[in-house]
Amino acid sequence: MKLYADRAPVAIRQLLTDVLVVVWVYAWVRIGMAVFDLIQKLAAPGRQLEDAGNGLASNLNGAGDRINRVPGVGDNIAAPFRDAAKAAGSLASAGREQQDIVNDLAWILSLVIVVLPVLLVVGLWLPLRIRWVRRAGSAARLRGVTAGRDLLALRALATQPLKRLLKVDPEVAALWRRGDPETVEALARLELRALGLR
């Protein structure tokens, strides 16, 4: 009896698929991080505006305080400096708001760029992977039991391509019905190999 030689063992295909999914996820996380950093650069004018506004407000408040300390000078002369300091504070506030908006935009776009492709691939890959783990786990439990080997052989007869079954023996169904131990074993191994098990 000949056993089929699979083009690529299932376990290797599973491993390669897992590695590709990990690389895919890593690549999109890196792209998301790069987009985040790129968008964060748009906050630079807001930082400059905030720094300029804070510096100007501080200088104007300082000038108003110095004018107030001059003997004989009233608060009326210092008032325009305080008003100008408030306006400069508004500039600083606008700079902070611009930075907050850019930061929010960077987070939202980065998350969208990462989450959509990752969900797409993981949503397709994970159910298939879970199904394979369940099937392989059940088959692994069955392979050590005589009745389990019979079930694996029956499953191979029902699910394996005819070409593979014929490689076991042209009379594979008749031999299985008679309970031929070599045929049952060959069919069970065929089913186990199809699941990436030995």
Side-chain angles (χ1 to χ4, degrees), residues 1-10 13 135 153 155-173 183 186-196:
M1 285 189 286
K2 295 186 284 183
L3 288 175
Y4 80 101
D6 205 359
R7 289 167 291 169
V10 173
R13 285 196 308 262
R135 287 177 56 209
R155 182 163 173 80
L157 278 173
T159 61
Q160 293 299 314
L162 291 175
K163 189 175 182 180
R164 290 181 183 166
L165 294 173
L166 290 174
K167 286 182 180 181
V168 172
D169 193 290
E171 298 292 323
V172 67
T183 303
L187 288 169
R189 275 184 286 164
L190 185 68
E191 184 63 20
L192 289 169
R193 284 193 65 188
L195 291 169

Side-chain angles (χ1 to χ4, degrees), residues 12-176:
I12 291 174
R13 285 196 308 262
Q14 288 287 346
L15 178 64
L16 287 176
T17 304
D18 294 348
V19 168
L20 285 173
V21 168
V22 169
V23 168
W24 176 267
V25 169
Y26 176 77
W28 281 105
V29 167
R30 294 295 299 184
I31 290 169
M33 291 169 63
V35 167
F36 181 83
D37 292 341
L38 185 65
I39 293 173
Q40 282 291 355
K41 290 180 182 177
L42 297 175
R47 280 190 292 277
Q48 291 172 348
L49 186 60
E50 180 183 9
D51 291 344
N54 285 334
L56 184 58
S58 175
N59 289 338
L60 289 170
N61 277 326
D65 290 342
R66 282 191 295 278
I67 288 173
N68 247 1
R69 281 184 253 145
V70 174
V73 176
D75 282 340
N76 291 341
I77 295 176
F81 289 96
R82 297 205 191 290
D83 292 341
K86 286 179 186 174
S90 296
L91 285 176
S93 179
R96 278 191 298 278
E97 287 177 17
Q98 192 262 351
Q99 291 174 73
D100 291 343
I101 290 169
V102 167
N103 189 50
D104 291 346
L105 179 66
W107 276 109
I108 291 168
L109 285 178
S110 298
L111 287 174
V112 167
I113 285 172
V114 171
V115 169
L116 290 180
V118 168
L119 279 180
L120 176 69
V121 167
V122 172
L124 295 172
W125 165 80
L126 192 58
L128 294 173
R129 187 70 166 122
I130 290 170
R131 191 177 79 192
W132 176 82
V133 166
R134 286 182 180 163
R135 287 177 56 209
S138 297
R141 286 189 298 276
L142 289 173
R143 73 177 160 198
V145 182
T146 304
R149 300 296 272 191
D150 289 338
L151 281 173
L152 290 170
L154 178 60
R155 182 163 173 80
L157 278 173
T159 61
Q160 293 299 314
L162 291 175
K163 189 175 182 180
R164 290 181 183 166
L165 294 173
L166 290 174
K167 286 182 180 181
V168 172
D169 193 290
E171 298 292 323
V172 67
L175 291 169
W176 175 79

